[in-house]
Amino acid sequence: MAIDPRNPDASYLSFWRDRHMCTLTTLRPDGTPHVVAVGATYDPAGGRARVITNKNSRKVANILAAGPEGARVAVCQVDKGRWATLEGVAVIRTETEAVADAVDRYAERYGRTPAPNPDRVVVEITLTRAMGRA
């Protein structure tokens, strides 16, 4: 079911505010999918989703390999019969303010602040599509 990623209905938005682990799918340089478990946050007003991670991770390498325009990615979560997917174009953000904002959003959603990590970066996804059944 297609959903406007900037204007989701209340149940879809509520599902993204509940504490659920997600998967992030990126494409390796050879075109094969790389799927990993992540914590993700959804900002419909800003049209973005965010994942905090280590700058040396494979997902970061995959996104950077796509070039400066970014990489097509999908982030998904499932809980029994409910599911939600956000798709868009990801870039890597390293600015202190962007990382701090993403950590704050993660802490709000997941109820804990991650330990400091000088190698932390943000996978910032500009959303182009949302779908699901929440």
Side-chain angles (χ1 to χ4, degrees):
M1 170 181 185
I3 294 162
D4 179 351
R6 289 184 159 271
N7 190 26
D9 64 35
S11 65
Y12 192 82
L13 184 56
S14 175
F15 187 47
W16 274 102
R17 290 194 169 142
D18 292 342
R19 189 179 191 275
H20 297 288
M21 289 304 297
C22 303
T23 60
L24 174 68
T25 302
T26 62
L27 296 178
R28 296 180 183 98
D30 69 3
T32 60
H34 176 258
V35 184
V36 294
V38 296
T41 61
Y42 174 33
D43 171 18
R48 303 237 186 317
R50 294 172 180 86
V51 173
I52 56 175
T53 191
N54 190 294
K55 69 181 180 183
N56 298 311
S57 69
R58 168 50 50 196
K59 59 187 151 295
V60 169
N62 291 342
I63 292 165
L64 292 174
E69 293 81 34
R72 300 286 310 172
V73 302
V75 63
C76 182
Q77 65 182 23
V78 176
D79 180 41
K80 299 177 185 156
R82 298 184 307 161
W83 63 277
T85 300
L86 300 169
E87 296 179 12
V89 178
V91 296
I92 303 303
R93 302 282 307 271
T94 60
E95 305 88 349
T96 303
E97 302 79 21
V99 173
D101 177 59
V103 167
D104 289 346
R105 291 170 187 275
Y106 178 97
E108 181 179 334
R109 181 173 190 201
Y110 291 99
R112 70 171 196 84
T113 300
N117 177 354
D119 292 333
R120 182 171 287 131
V121 297
V122 181
V123 175
E124 185 178 82
I125 306 162
T126 300
L127 301 174
T128 57
R129 179 181 294 172
M131 59 188 131
R133 191 172 308 278

